[in-house]
């Protein structure tokens, strides 16, 4: 935008200078221009002078503006390398931050996958835990049944021992009775 303004002012200034030079270089052309200027100004020489003074004032103003624009342009050109360097640093920083962000995103994605995998493992472990709890409960029920069977068998064994002991006692008594009966039969047969 400023460059366009500078260029426009430069063109206007160049055109004004060229016209002024043309008028100075060719007195005839200047003389021929006088009637036109006089006609434009209403035929008075003072109008021509005012017009000339206005053109000169405008020319000086344009020159001053052009000088200000040149100074500003020179200042901008001096600042431009520093700004370009700062922009390059910022772009480099941006690339580094983007690379860091992408690395963090990859890490976060990997963590999410690991978390999902661990969650699957937790779910599988919970399922195994419930299955094992069921097996333990079944084993406890079997053990309780076996303990009852054992208690019944133990009681039966105790009864069987008691019955055996009673049978042994009866057998002993019968043996003794039989022995005495044999003794009596032997005595009787003799």
């Amino acid at each position: 935008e400023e460059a366009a303004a500078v260029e426009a002012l430069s063109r206007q200034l160049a055109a004004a200078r060229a016209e002024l030079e043309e008028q100075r270089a060719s007195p005839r052309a200047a003389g021929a221009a006088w009637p036109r200027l006089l006609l434009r100004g209403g035929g008075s020489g003072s109008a021509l002078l005012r017009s000339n003074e206005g053109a000169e004032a405008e020319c000086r103003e344009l020159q001053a503006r052009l000088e200000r624009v040149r100074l500003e342009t020179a200042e901008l050109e001096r600042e431009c390398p520093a700004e370009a360097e700062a922009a390059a640093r910022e772009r480099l920083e941006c690339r580094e931050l983007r690379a860091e962000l992408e690395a963090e995103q990859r890490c976060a994605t990997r963590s999410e996958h690991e978390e999902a995998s661990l969650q699957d493992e937790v779910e599988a472990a919970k399922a195994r835990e419930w299955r094992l709890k069921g097996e333990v409960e079944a084993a406890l029920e079997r053990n309780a049944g076996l303990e009852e069977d054992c208690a019944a068998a133990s009681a039966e064994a105790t009864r069987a021992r008691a019955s055996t002991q009673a049978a042994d006692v009866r057998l002993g008594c019968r043996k003794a009775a039989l022995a005495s009966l044999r003794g009596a039969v032997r005595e009787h047969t003799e």
Side-chain angles (χ1 to χ4, degrees):
E1 187 177 300
E2 289 179 9
V6 169
E7 192 173 316
L9 288 174
S10 296
R11 279 196 306 268
Q12 287 178 358
L13 183 60
R17 282 185 179 160
E19 189 178 325
L20 190 58
E21 287 300 319
E22 186 180 303
Q23 287 177 2
R24 285 185 189 160
S26 164
R28 279 165 90 212
W34 281 96
R36 279 195 312 260
L37 289 173
L38 286 174
L39 286 174
R40 242 191 293 160
S44 71
S46 65
L48 176 62
L49 284 175
R50 278 194 308 273
S51 173
N52 248 357
E53 288 172 355
E56 284 178 10
E58 189 176 342
C59 189
R60 282 191 300 273
E61 182 185 332
L62 287 173
Q63 286 174 339
R65 285 175 62 191
L66 181 61
E67 186 59 31
R68 282 194 306 270
V69 168
R70 280 187 188 144
L71 290 174
E72 288 172 4
T73 302
E75 179 70 24
L76 287 174
E77 286 175 355
R78 281 193 301 275
E79 290 176 2
C80 192
E83 293 297 324
E85 185 179 319
R89 278 195 310 270
E90 286 181 11
R91 280 192 298 271
L92 179 63
E93 252 181 61
C94 232
R95 278 194 297 269
E96 289 172 355
L97 287 173
R98 190 174 294 121
E100 194 174 314
L101 175 65
E102 289 171 355
E104 289 295 326
Q105 286 174 336
R106 283 192 301 273
C107 185
T109 302
R110 196 170 36 250
S111 293
E112 288 172 359
H113 289 290
E114 289 175 3
E115 179 183 356
S117 174
L118 290 174
Q119 188 64 35
D120 291 343
E121 288 179 22
V122 165
E123 294 298 323
K126 283 182 179 178
R128 280 193 308 272
E129 177 187 11
W130 285 107
R131 191 182 71 242
L132 291 173
K133 279 184 179 179
E135 289 176 10
V136 165
E137 287 176 7
L140 288 174
E141 287 176 9
R142 275 194 311 269
N143 282 347
L146 290 174
E147 285 176 1
E148 287 176 8
D149 290 347
C150 241
S154 177
E156 185 68 31
T158 303
R159 280 194 301 274
R161 275 194 296 277
S163 178
T164 302
Q165 286 173 351
D168 282 345
V169 168
R170 279 193 311 265
L171 181 62
C173 288
R174 283 187 185 165
K175 279 184 182 177
L178 184 60
S180 79
L181 187 57
R182 273 189 196 159
V185 170
R186 230 186 266 144
E187 277 178 19
H188 192 340
T189 54
E190 281 181 21

